[in-house]
Amino acid sequence: MDHLRDKYIALIAEAADENTLEDLRVQAVGKKGEISLEMRALGKMSPEERQVAGPALNALKDEINSALAAKKQALSDAALDERLRTEWLDVTLPTRARNVGTIHPISQVWEEVTAIFAELGFAVAEGPQIETDWYNFDALNIPGHHPARAEMDTFYTHRTADEDRPPHVLRTHTSPVQIRSMEAQGAPIRIICPGRVYRADYDQTHTPMFHQIEGLAIDKDISMANLKWTLEEFFSAYFGRSVKTRFRASHFPFTEPSAEVDIQCSFKDGTVTVGEGDDWLEVLGSGMVHPSVLSAGGIDPNEYQGFAFGIGIDRIAMLKYGIPDLRAFFDSDLRWLRHYGFASLDQPNLHAGLSR
Ligand code: PHE
């Protein structure tokens, strides 16, 4: 028994893994294990011999079983330690740098303008960028022969001779949304419509796609004075200082009277500053909605009148953020976007200040 004990205690101590340990268990205390065979031999002993050998064999069996259990625990502890040593993670390491995009200045200004007009009670309306020529022209009092159609450098969509749908254009201005809003909600109306517009024109100050914000207010007692107040209020909020406007008589087929509006600025050393000085910059077209336009939108011009305006978003973005070249807006140059872009969490609103 001493021999068996020494042998198995030594082997168990040496076992390097659980499989070896299991083999040892079978060899020692398994059904046909050495110790089990000894126990079976108890039957052939005399009662006196059995009284001594029986408890001793049981004790040996217990001893081997607990040595096996202890070793098994030690092996699994060691395995765990080894895993913990290799699978560690330094949670204090800085995270991998991520490329964060920026908000394009056009989007930023779009949001700023929307926030200001929302405070003034204007809702946002939208219309399609591919428009029928009726919404883009006819309903706005620009009939087929009108020179304004040619002046606008319109993109027409292709139409085969046998197609019976009306001609479609890429809208040349956001003014068709005036008609769509009149049709959709009737009077009174207070809406702005920010959006993309298209004209076949490309040079330093023109891109074939650019952005406008249409404004439309219709009610029973609306005058040019309301237009002027609204625009001055808007520009002062937008530029963060009081901005004078200059109304110049102009002509649009869809407004009567019509005015182009300039804002006060100074040109010094090649930089433009809005809200000071004696110079003027044209930023929008406007006027009182033409009676024919109200009728086209299903509103009675004898009962209602209103004002409308169209501001170039790109232009006022350049003025506010000192962006010198219009075409760079649409080049997708990453260096430009990082320089002129805005942090994505800088949401413009009037209370927090409009921008960083
Ligand atoms: N639609 C005109 C343009 O694109 C601007 C405008 C809008 C003028 C509303 C008067 C009223 O030039």
Side-chain angles (χ1 to χ4, degrees), residues 9 91 95 114 126-127 133 141 217 241 276 326:
I9 293 296
V91 294
T95 55
T114 305
E126 284 184 309
D133 67 346
N141 203 28
R241 61 192 299 183
E276 60 175 49
L326 173 70

Side-chain angles (χ1 to χ4, degrees), residues 125-127 134-135 139-141 174-193 214-219 254-255 287-301 304-309:
E126 284 184 309
W134 189 81
Y135 280 107
L140 290 164
N141 203 28
T174 42
S175 299
V177 182
Q178 288 188 31
I179 306 296
R180 289 183 175 276
S181 302
M182 292 180 206
E183 286 178 341
Q185 65 178 85
I189 297 180
R190 268 179 187 68
I191 53 113
I192 57 161
C193 166
E214 194 78 9
L216 176 67
I218 291 177
D219 215 323
F254 33 92
T255 46
M288 298 303 290
V289 180
H290 195 289
S292 311
V293 173
L294 290 170
S295 299
I299 289 177
D300 181 359
Y304 289 97
Q305 70 293 140
F307 65 71
F309 57 83

Side-chain angles (χ1 to χ4, degrees), residues 37-79:
L37 292 178
E38 291 295 335
M39 288 180 121
R40 239 174 267 169
L42 286 175
K44 292 172 196 143
M45 291 179 188
S46 68
E48 292 74 23
E49 280 176 325
R50 202 181 302 143
Q51 230 160 38
V52 182
L57 268 173
N58 271 327
L60 175 60
K61 190 180 171 187
D62 288 347
E63 195 181 340
I64 297 298
N65 273 331
S66 41
L68 283 165
K71 180 67 180 184
K72 190 170 174 177
Q73 184 64 47
L75 282 174
S76 85
D77 285 353

Side-chain angles (χ1 to χ4, degrees), residues 152 172-175 178 199 210 212 214-215 252 254-255 258-259 284-287 308-311:
M152 285 225 191
T172 57
H173 49 183
T174 42
S175 299
Q178 288 188 31
R199 290 180 202 174
F210 59 103
Q212 287 188 335
E214 194 78 9
F252 298 101
F254 33 92
T255 46
S258 302
L284 64 90
S286 66
F309 57 83
I311 309 177

